[in-house]
Amino acid sequence: MTLHIADAEQVLTEKSDQLNTRWYPYYHLAARAGWMNDPNGLVWFDGWFHAFYQHHPYSTEWGPMHWGHARSRDLMRWEHLPVALAPEGPEDKDGCFSGSAVVNGNELALIYTGHKFHGDPSSEDNLYQVQCLATSRDGVNFTRKGQILDTPSGLHHFRDPKVWKEGEMWYMVVGARVEDTGQVRLYRSEDLHHWHEQGILAEAPHGMGYMWECPDFFTLDDKQVLMFSPQGMAAEGYANRNLFQSGYIVGRWQPGEKFIQESKFQELDHGHDFYAPQSFLAPDGRRIVIGWMDMWESPLPEQQDGWAGMFTLPRELVITPNNQLQMRPVHEVESLREEWYSWPVSTLKNKQLCVMHNCEAAEVIVTWDTSLSEAEQYGIALDDGMRLYIDNQAKRLILERNYPQHNLCGQRSIPMPTGDELNLRVFFDRSSVEVFVNDGEACLSSRIYPQQRQLNVFAWSGNAVLKECGAWNLR
């Protein structure tokens, strides 16, 4: 069945007026209605930040993929635009899968995966994924140019192109699966239409996944970073606890040479919900990344409300001398701040105190003096459903959610950072929490579904000392 943009727009107009907004985000980007997953085509074009996304307008379940579209002047306040792509042609008849966007002269170019079956769709032997192109002069209406790269012989999973320009040449990485081994393949072009294979940029060693989705390849402080989402990695201790992971490898590369890896795979975000991150360059040179703040095969309670899925806050990426990527919220988030409320608490001992009665859209700052805090557990809690706390015995910072009514319970954690202070910058929205540790040393992002929104600070089995604590309400 061919699906058209006009049909999608009509459905979205009807469905967007019927949403239950109890968990719909205030300041994170979500679809007008229906399903959303991977960020696509993040780009600055003609005075706007553009964000596209995998989208099924017709239901809150994953389905034949379209490209939803929104734009913003400041990365915080988003204007929804018409659906950019629908599966309207023979090259993408079963879905317009993930991809990227580049500015080519006075045009905005979308490069995406056309998903199609030749025959019975129940058999992957009939699956073909090809790379396609669409262009626009106004950044709103796109002209489809069709297939630009066919499925390599013997492959079926071949998707998620990320394109960039190096000198006078365009380059593209594409995720692939060869039997049970994930790969990232490299291509080169002079015109975005004709592509030439440049070999395998990187391949999964044993245990590193059967498919590498959503590859991204970029330079940061003279290092090259391969960011991707491997499927099929086994959990190991506290690591790789989600169904699928997202992370990166740092190394060195230049055109015509091999990618020399200088680090092992490292997870980018340690929360319950982070997948398919994509990066882009802002006009001022910042490398900014946005991820999908959900996880495959995880309950999505908002589906009953007419929508599903949202993006993380945009985050600026920096790299440390020891090849660690750090993420911190873009400075534009500060434009959402209203009045600062300082909490009148400095020491806690075997008690819990309410510090906010309605923590719905807020930026919370908490700095613990860890050298003077010997409580077994101390932290903050959003009623009974979410806790962010230090476990002094395990020496870990733990993000815990407890929503048994939605089958969402469990913990994600990181080792306690070194030093005498622990600074936590925590962003709450209606159904999400994002924790930034020590100005980007680590990040934990998770969906939450509070019934009540009272925020408490607590310390059990001992005392804990706060050096700073308070919050901005975010408009």
Side-chain angles (χ1 to χ4, degrees):
M1 180 179 69
T2 302
L3 298 171
H4 297 287
I5 288 175
D7 299 330
E9 282 299 307
Q10 181 178 346
V11 166
L12 286 168
T13 299
E14 297 168 357
K15 289 181 175 291
S16 61
D17 292 332
Q18 303 168 8
L19 295 188
N20 182 339
T21 60
R22 58 181 170 165
W23 292 318
Y24 192 84
Y26 281 110
Y27 60 93
H28 290 78
L29 179 58
R32 287 173 281 171
W35 171 274
M36 166 201 267
N37 59 284
D38 303 359
N40 296 156
L42 306 179
V43 70
W44 170 265
F45 175 71
D46 198 24
W48 294 88
F49 293 103
H50 290 260
F52 302 83
Y53 51 89
Q54 290 287 276
H55 185 32
H56 189 217
Y58 297 94
S59 83
T60 59
E61 304 282 345
W62 186 92
M65 285 292 99
H66 297 54
W67 272 39
H69 187 195
R71 68 182 181 183
S72 173
R73 297 286 192 189
D74 64 0
L75 290 168
M76 293 294 118
R77 300 160 181 87
W78 293 94
E79 171 193 358
H80 285 285
L81 296 174
V83 168
L85 296 172
E88 295 177 319
E91 69 278 357
D92 58 19
K93 66 185 181 68
D94 295 308
C96 301
F97 274 24
S98 293
S100 54
V102 294
V103 178
N104 184 23
N106 59 358
E107 283 189 336
L108 179 59
L110 307 183
I111 303 94
Y112 68 98
T113 295
H115 181 73
K116 58 181 180 175
F117 287 92
H118 295 174
D120 180 5
S122 66
S123 172
E124 288 196 352
D125 292 339
N126 299 321
L127 169 65
Y128 293 90
Q129 294 182 328
V130 300
Q131 313 318 315
C132 304
L133 175 68
T135 62
S136 172
R137 292 293 181 93
D138 63 7
V140 178
N141 302 288
F142 291 85
T143 301
R144 299 158 59 91
K145 302 296 183 180
Q147 176 181 309
I148 56 173
L149 183 61
D150 202 356
T151 315
S153 177
L155 295 191
H156 294 282
H157 293 271
F158 178 64
R159 57 182 176 266
D160 310 337
K162 180 67 189 292
V163 176
W164 76 98
K165 199 168 192 180
E166 196 94 20
E168 296 300 314
M169 199 69 66
W170 294 102
Y171 288 88
M172 173 169 64
V173 286
V174 186
R177 176 178 180 176
V178 178
E179 296 181 348
D180 285 329
T181 299
Q183 288 182 343
V184 173
R185 296 195 169 201
L186 180 66
Y187 296 83
R188 185 181 68 186
S189 172
E190 295 179 355
D191 59 6
L192 293 179
H193 291 264
H194 305 91
W195 291 88
H196 307 284
E197 187 171 1
Q198 301 295 294
I200 298 170
L201 183 75
E203 186 172 64
H206 178 72
M208 267 292 294
Y210 57 78
M211 174 69 195
W212 283 8
E213 289 198 313
C214 303
D216 194 348
F217 195 58
F218 53 87
T219 297
L220 202 57
D221 287 352
D222 297 324
K223 292 291 184 77
Q224 281 68 51
V225 179
L226 175 61
M227 187 169 68
F228 59 101
S229 297
Q231 297 180 316
M233 289 184 69
E236 185 176 349
Y238 291 106
N240 308 327
R241 300 305 307 179
N242 294 329
L243 176 64
F244 299 136
Q245 320 310 317
S246 294
Y248 63 94
I249 296 168
V250 177
R252 294 192 179 276
W253 172 86
Q254 58 183 4
E257 297 189 3
K258 291 184 177 296
F259 175 48
I260 306 301
Q261 300 181 20
E262 297 182 349
S263 76
K264 296 181 179 179
F265 175 82
Q266 301 172 79
E267 290 183 84
L268 193 57
D269 186 292
H270 302 272
H272 295 86
D273 296 293
F274 186 83
Y275 194 69
Q278 186 174 110
S279 78
F280 69 101
L281 275 178
D284 59 8
R286 287 176 296 166
R287 176 64 59 173
I288 296 173
V289 66
I290 298 175
W292 179 45
M293 195 158 37
D294 281 286
M295 182 50 58
W296 297 111
E297 298 183 28
S298 175
L300 301 173
E302 68 269 23
Q303 287 176 310
Q304 62 189 289
D305 294 344
W307 67 283
M310 65 177 141
F311 283 177
T312 66
L313 281 174
R315 304 161 180 192
E316 182 181 356
L317 283 179
V318 296
I319 190 168
T320 68
N322 62 344
N323 290 338
Q324 302 285 320
L325 283 190
Q326 296 187 351
M327 296 190 295
R328 55 184 64 109
V330 294
H331 63 75
E332 286 87 347
V333 72
E334 296 172 13
S335 69
L336 302 179
R337 290 173 176 173
E338 294 185 320
E339 187 176 357
W340 166 259
Y341 295 94
S342 184
W343 301 340
V345 55
S346 59
T347 302
L348 294 164
K349 185 174 183 179
N350 300 331
K351 64 180 176 181
Q352 175 173 286
L353 291 175
C354 174
V355 289
M356 293 182 72
H357 289 287
N358 184 29
C359 181
E360 193 169 37
E363 177 185 350
V364 169
I365 303 294
V366 178
T367 301
W368 297 99
D369 188 330
T370 53
S371 67
L372 299 176
S373 301
E374 87 284 352
E376 289 184 5
Q377 292 185 358
Y378 57 96
I380 62 175
L382 189 64
D383 285 304
D384 297 327
M386 187 231 82
R387 293 199 306 159
L388 173 67
Y389 66 95
I390 293 90
D391 186 320
N392 243 339
Q393 294 172 307
K395 300 300 181 185
R396 298 191 72 84
L397 174 66
I398 296 171
L399 177 60
E400 176 183 84
R401 62 182 181 185
N402 182 40
Y403 302 103
Q405 68 274 32
H406 302 306
N407 295 317
L408 288 169
C409 298
Q411 299 178 343
R412 297 292 181 267
S413 66
I414 61 169
M416 270 292 290
T418 58
D420 293 336
E421 291 185 5
L422 177 64
N423 178 266
L424 303 176
R425 191 178 179 194
V426 187
F427 288 86
F428 289 98
D429 207 338
R430 275 177 167 156
S431 56
S432 66
V433 59
E434 291 168 274
V435 182
F436 296 89
V437 181
N438 288 345
D439 196 32
E441 281 186 26
C443 184
L444 301 96
S445 304
S446 295
R447 291 173 294 123
I448 57 175
Y449 297 93
Q451 293 180 311
Q452 306 296 323
R453 297 185 180 273
Q454 179 172 299
L455 188 68
N456 304 304
V457 292
F458 66 89
W460 302 122
S461 300
N463 77 266
V465 177
L466 282 158
K467 300 191 73 171
E468 180 184 14
C469 55
W472 283 276
N473 285 324
L474 303 181
R475 66 177 183 269

